[in-house]
Amino acid sequence: MITATRYRALAEINRQAKLGAEVARAQSDISTGKRIEKPSDDPIASARVSVLRRAQADQAVWARNIQTAKSVAAEVDTALSGVSDIFNRVKELTLAGASESVSANDRSAMVQELTSLRTALTNLSTSTTPTGQALFPTDAPLLVSTSATQRLPATAQRSTVFEGIAYAHGTDTLDWVIGTAIDAIATDNVAARRTAADAALADVDKAITHVTNQYAAQGVRAAQLDSAAETVENAAISLSEERSTLEDTDVASTVMRLNAKTLSLQAAQMAFAKVNRNTLFDFLS
């Protein structure tokens, strides 16, 4: 009888130890917010969380790539806006310089401004990002990975933007047309100046159309990057929600379980203490 009592006592001690461990684990789950501490806690969920963790790491890389590309695209947009302003001003000066009433001094000032605009155009074509990369690369633009299957450019090749424009005389650069406007306005003979200015204005209009098209193309690139950013953001939210469902503690249910286990442990401890206050003579009486 004493041996049986000893075994029952050991069994009760083990049961209380298990309850104590379950109470401690529930408290840990609540404090850390995580219900999976090691793979053995839930092998299937743990394996899925591992997959989700790798996917989230990929999404983070793609998100950084897109933000960098968007920064470059914004700088390109600003540069192209500057190019557009340059040619709008070139047109204004060419129109004004073709007039019969404009003085030689005024035309000299216009030539100086056009020369300054020409320099500004060169500076824009060779401008760089804060990291020293060409805003308009001489080679094909670097394609940025925005997903496992998609790669997008943030800008256009320099030759695409500043060269290859079809003028009346043939294909040439944006720089060339400013040179023709300078030559036209610098001409002293009124009739010759008007003829040269008319020809220059026709070419300036073609340059403006080309710049407008490049500006629109950059807008398309920026829109693609915005769409990619939205896709990555949505994917990141979905991954985070799924991982949270698998990994995070359900606080409400865990608190209920903790309370139940705590009450059971307290009751068991009280009963065990009361039983073990009895002596051998108490059992024999």
Side-chain angles (χ1 to χ4, degrees):
M1 180 176 178
I2 295 174
T3 301
T5 301
R6 184 187 304 122
Y7 285 144
R8 284 197 296 271
L10 288 173
E12 181 60 23
I13 290 171
N14 289 335
R15 188 175 78 86
Q16 290 182 30
K18 182 179 179 182
L19 281 171
E22 291 173 349
V23 168
R25 177 56 193 271
Q27 291 172 333
S28 175
D29 289 351
I30 293 170
S31 63
T32 62
K34 300 296 180 183
R35 73 176 189 87
I36 299 177
E37 295 182 357
K38 53 186 181 298
S40 59
D41 291 336
D42 189 335
I44 295 176
S46 182
R48 180 57 182 166
V49 167
S50 180
V51 172
L52 293 174
R53 189 181 295 112
R54 290 194 296 271
Q56 286 178 310
D58 290 339
Q59 294 294 329
V61 171
W62 294 328
R64 287 195 296 271
N65 289 348
I66 292 170
Q67 288 305 312
T68 300
K70 287 180 68 174
S71 177
V72 172
E75 292 183 57
V76 172
D77 185 87
T78 300
L80 288 174
S81 178
V83 173
S84 179
D85 291 342
I86 285 173
F87 279 94
N88 286 332
R89 182 56 179 162
V90 168
K91 184 173 183 176
E92 292 175 1
L93 291 171
T94 305
L95 281 169
S99 173
E100 295 180 5
S101 60
V102 67
S103 68
N105 287 337
D106 289 340
R107 285 191 294 110
S108 177
M110 291 176 185
V111 167
Q112 289 181 4
E113 185 175 353
L114 284 169
T115 301
S116 177
L117 292 171
R118 194 176 191 179
T119 300
L121 178 66
T122 299
N123 292 338
L124 286 173
S125 70
T126 58
S127 57
T128 60
T129 67
T131 58
Q133 296 175 322
L135 206 56
F136 300 98
T138 54
D139 297 326
L142 178 67
L143 296 178
V144 177
S145 295
T146 59
S147 73
T149 58
Q150 186 183 56
R151 301 178 70 201
L152 298 173
T155 184
Q157 192 168 345
R158 187 179 302 171
S159 59
T160 301
V161 177
F162 296 93
E163 302 173 11
I165 299 91
Y167 298 114
H169 77 285
T171 301
D172 221 311
T173 65
L174 289 177
D175 176 82
W176 173 85
V177 75
I178 300 180
T180 63
I182 290 173
D183 292 341
I185 293 176
T187 302
D188 292 327
N189 182 273
V190 174
R193 183 168 72 248
R194 184 179 298 166
T195 300
D198 287 343
L201 283 170
D203 287 334
V204 167
D205 284 338
K206 292 177 181 178
I208 290 174
T209 298
H210 173 78
V211 172
T212 300
N213 291 339
Q214 293 302 311
Y215 197 72
Q218 183 60 27
V220 171
R221 284 188 283 271
Q224 289 175 329
L225 291 171
D226 286 339
S227 178
E230 184 177 355
T231 299
V232 167
E233 182 179 357
N234 290 338
I237 291 173
S238 297
L239 291 171
S240 180
E241 289 176 348
E242 183 181 356
R243 182 174 173 181
S244 177
T245 300
L246 295 170
E247 191 178 40
D248 291 353
T249 301
D250 184 341
V251 176
S253 64
T254 304
V255 168
M256 291 177 63
R257 188 170 68 253
L258 172 62
N259 291 337
K261 296 291 184 182
T262 301
L263 288 174
S264 296
L265 178 59
Q266 290 173 345
Q269 288 172 336
M270 290 173 63
F272 185 75
K274 183 177 181 180
V275 168
N276 283 276
R277 280 201 302 267
N278 296 325
T279 67
L280 175 60
F281 295 104
D282 294 324
F283 287 109
L284 293 176
S285 61

